[in-house]
Amino acid sequence: MNAIEQLREALGDIVDTDPAALQVARGDRSGHTASGTPLAIVHALTVEHVQQVCRIATETRTPIVVRGAGTGLAGGANAGTGEIVLSTARMTAVHEIRPDDLLAVVEPGILNADLNDMLAPHGLWWAPDPASRSISTVGGNIATGAGGLLCAKYGVVRDAVLGVDLVLADGRLLHLGHRSVKGVTGLDLTSLVIGSEGVLGVIVGATLKLRRLVEGTTCTIAATFPGVRTAAAASAAVTAAGIQPAIMELMDAASLAAVASLLGLPSPSAGTAQLTIQTDGPAAAAEADAVVAVLAAHDGVVQVSHDREEGERLLAIRRSMHPAMAALGTTLIEDVSVPRSAMPAMFDEIARIEREYALTIPTVAHAGDGNLHPNFIFEGPETPPHVWAAADALFRAAIALGGTLTGEHGIGTLKSRWLAEELGADQWEIQRQVARVFDPLGILNPGKVFAAHA
Amino acid sequence: MNAIEQLREALGDIVDTDPAALQVARGDRSGHTASGTPLAIVHALTVEHVQQVCRIATETRTPIVVRGAGTGLAGGANAGTGEIVLSTARMTAVHEIRPDDLLAVVEPGILNADLNDMLAPHGLWWAPDPASRSISTVGGNIATGAGGLLCAKYGVVRDAVLGVDLVLADGRLLHLGHRSVKGVTGLDLTSLVIGSEGVLGVIVGATLKLRRLVEGTTCTIAATFPGVRTAAAASAAVTAAGIQPAIMELMDAASLAAVASLLGLPSPSAGTAQLTIQTDGPAAAAEADAVVAVLAAHDGVVQVSHDREEGERLLAIRRSMHPAMAALGTTLIEDVSVPRSAMPAMFDEIARIEREYALTIPTVAHAGDGNLHPNFIFEGPETPPHVWAAADALFRAAIALGGTLTGEHGIGTLKSRWLAEELGADQWEIQRQVARVFDPLGILNPGKVFAAHA
């Protein structure tokens, strides 16, 4: 029997070969599509289903692409010719919520926002907040090390996971990590799995570290600046002044203009950039006052709201960035990250690349943590060569400033050709060998992350 | 030429074979001593020195034991027959302190307290605070994943390191991690190195994630309880009430009596246990009030201080635990960690083990995070078999309660025989293979961590 026949015999009607579903599994939110069409999608409902798929895949040497909600931005869960899509999207159970131990034990398919809706009545939340949180799964957030708006104050995914249950390529189940706050028993394989993008194993469960909901008011500050460099310098000055906002989002002029056009708002003056800052917790109001003083000293025109709903309206401009870009054409959303102090220099580099490649690169940034999303816009489905050339220049500039290729989206398909450049050949090789310890046959997400070593 | 001759030729007088120094390198603060005497200690001053030692060790197949200040509690840096001690204690430079990027770049040998003294004038600190902080190195803190009193509120070492420079067994230098808040480029080898106890490579540099110094008053609460179980339940109730103290330390009756005897204080009534709790930050006073209410409702006799110095006097009782134990005999300090809610049950298990093995096991706990330090006291240098049998029962009890063998001290020599039991045979083997990717010849800290697989 071939792999599909074995899967059907073992798993019955959770093996899906509907052409429309297979078509969807070729892509994600990056716009990139895999070559060819996968063999089948298995909609796993249990850990045992996942183990059976892995055993059959190992026996038949069939590649597996693990997939959650398909909201990735690096092509990491895109499946093509000859591959089995192993979906954990239907494994949505929440097994435990423990306010006393500040942890939850969940299956990977639950959506981030759905989990937080279940935690809120207990006065709890799980801090990772990718912009996709209403449509992305917790398992996908862990597999990609997804970031978001709140990371400078509330940490990254690595800070919010205590343990992971992982099915290996051969079907064995490992329980990694622990339920206690502290634990240094052996190597930290839990952290190794976070951000591993499906090349080490299948995440079938997670023990999440929770926080208590933040009490007190939320203050929102929106400020416009005569240029993006001024806005970047103002945001760096906020951090340098010792203030830690919950959210600090920067939009350059092209981004702001595109959103104004989408929402039918008055056009901002040419060159106008914007910072949107939110403070929370018991000191929110005092911190907001301090933020306002810093921004005003940096030529900001400042507007403050102490009302949560009005604050959400101010943030709505930032949250409309993705649809505004989509309205302009096909978008390649980049994701470089630099030390906070290098933000103004990184904007200088983006301006240089715009000139050199005759492009407009609308850019938003999580300015509190130095994570920039430059957007390349083009016609048609394929990223044109000159856009890749500009992206290449962008990556080199970020690395030269002490930064990294990807702050929160991952390597996936789209950035694997730059991975060795950042890691160095020795580290690249060590990482690949570590992955092979988990997956000796190389059947998990082949062609991703470590694929394109120069 | 043998290894020592090659080291002398390459490195001159930083190669130390003074018998007294070699004797010191056989032990650490665990009381355990390695068999035999190491060949030499190399006092590396530069990364290049470390690389040369590794190249010579690889060429001559000589084992290396990396060592900082020798303050470990698991025998992980103890060196014996035929081994080279590679000390990074003299690599103490602080290359950068960046208040704007909230990071510091340091060499591994700087003492934790010395680093924090240098950070304080910038309004910054590095949060990991093992009890050994005045005598332990930052490199050692990273290599062991050292914990401390503040972890529940301010995180563990894994949350406070952005990058590590690592020399492999063959002398190659890897730059792991990044300088930015976010970064998901490839596998997270930085986290893998944290707590790896010298089996993956030699830490020769680190990029540390800093915090701003906490402003506001510090409130200290000391409360006595009629028994340890009541005290443990009271501490769990503090967390369950949604309060996050900076410090929450528990001492059982035997600990309290031993410290009272050492310090010449009046003896507490039989069975009396104590909680010492510290709140900090802008809400310190309000949190202290809430803590007092919870403790009083749990039969606590409560004393509060809003003065930092008086608070330190209250904490001095807890800080005198180690000398108080040393005054009683040779001490094996254990280090199990359980979910916070399991603390009362864990104290029941300790009471059961005391009865079954006819031992008194004075126990202190970082009650805020569920990390207990039961102390076994005995005569003479060697841990007697019945103490190991009781420790074995202790580990099994902690694991059965959802806990772990070691919260912050590590596996080293002393716990390697229990490692596979907690990890499971499959995970143990995967971890060992991962270590072999970094060190294919097995010359880094052989006999530690993965040594004693049953």
Side-chain angles (χ1 to χ4, degrees), chain A residues 98-103 144-149 151-152 155-162 168 172-192 194-197 199-200 209 212 236 238-244 282-283 335 337-342 366 368-371 373 401-411 419 422-423 426-427 429-438 449-450, chain B residues 98-103 144-149 151-152 155-162 168 172-192 194-197 199-200 209 212 236 238-244 282-283 335 337-342 366 368-371 373 401-411 419 422-423 426-427 429-438 449-450:
Chain A
R98 293 293 298 256
D100 49 357
D101 289 328
L102 292 174
L103 63 83
T144 57
L149 277 60
C151 299
V156 293
V157 172
R158 190 184 70 161
D159 306 319
V161 179
L162 293 171
L168 297 176
R172 285 180 294 163
L173 173 63
L174 303 184
H175 301 284
L176 311 177
H178 40 81
R179 289 171 65 92
S180 48
V181 175
K182 288 176 179 167
V184 291
T185 301
L187 300 178
D188 184 358
L189 298 189
T190 303
S191 292
L192 193 69
I194 295 168
S196 65
E197 302 189 55
V199 304
L200 298 185
K209 186 176 172 185
R212 294 186 190 286
V238 168
T239 304
I243 311 160
Q244 181 57 71
D335 175 44
S337 209
V338 295
R340 284 173 270 229
S341 62
H366 307 303
D369 57 45
N371 182 201
H373 294 308
L401 288 169
T404 181
L405 270 178
T406 172
E408 57 185 18
H409 294 172
I411 299 296
L419 181 61
E422 178 171 333
L423 298 183
D426 285 342
Q427 188 186 165
E429 181 58 29
I430 292 272
Q431 291 204 2
R432 202 186 58 87
Q433 287 180 29
V434 167
R436 282 296 165 98
V437 168
F438 288 77
V449 187
F450 299 114
Chain B
R98 293 293 298 256
D100 49 358
D101 290 328
L102 293 175
L103 63 82
T144 57
L149 276 61
C151 298
V156 292
V157 172
R158 190 183 72 161
D159 305 321
V161 179
L162 293 171
L168 297 176
R172 285 181 293 162
L173 173 63
L174 302 184
H175 301 285
L176 310 178
H178 40 81
R179 289 172 65 92
S180 47
V181 174
K182 287 175 180 167
V184 291
T185 301
L187 300 177
D188 185 358
L189 298 189
T190 304
S191 292
L192 194 69
I194 295 168
S196 64
E197 302 188 57
V199 304
L200 298 184
K209 187 175 173 185
R212 293 185 192 286
V238 169
T239 303
I243 311 160
Q244 181 57 72
D335 175 42
S337 208
V338 296
R340 283 172 269 229
S341 63
H366 307 302
D369 57 45
N371 182 202
H373 295 307
L401 287 169
T404 180
L405 269 178
T406 171
E408 57 186 18
H409 295 171
I411 299 296
L419 181 61
E422 178 171 333
L423 299 183
D426 285 342
Q427 188 186 167
E429 180 58 29
I430 292 272
Q431 291 204 2
R432 202 187 59 87
Q433 287 181 29
V434 167
R436 281 298 164 98
V437 168
F438 287 77
V449 187
F450 299 114

Side-chain angles (χ1 to χ4, degrees), chain A residues 411-428:
Chain A
I411 299 296
T413 309
L414 295 180
K415 288 185 179 169
S416 65
R417 73 177 103 156
W418 288 278
L419 181 61
E421 184 160 347
E422 178 171 333
L423 298 183
D426 285 342
Q427 188 186 165
W428 186 93

Side-chain angles (χ1 to χ4, degrees), chain A residues 96-115:
Chain A
E96 285 185 70
I97 295 175
R98 293 293 298 256
D100 49 357
D101 289 328
L102 292 174
L103 63 83
V105 180
V106 306
E107 289 187 346
I110 188 162
L111 298 184
N112 180 311
D114 288 350
L115 172 64

Side-chain angles (χ1 to χ4, degrees), chain A residues 264-280:
Chain A
L265 301 173
S267 292
S269 340
T272 300
Q274 177 167 303
L275 280 179
T276 314
I277 297 175
Q278 205 159 64
T279 60
D280 66 3

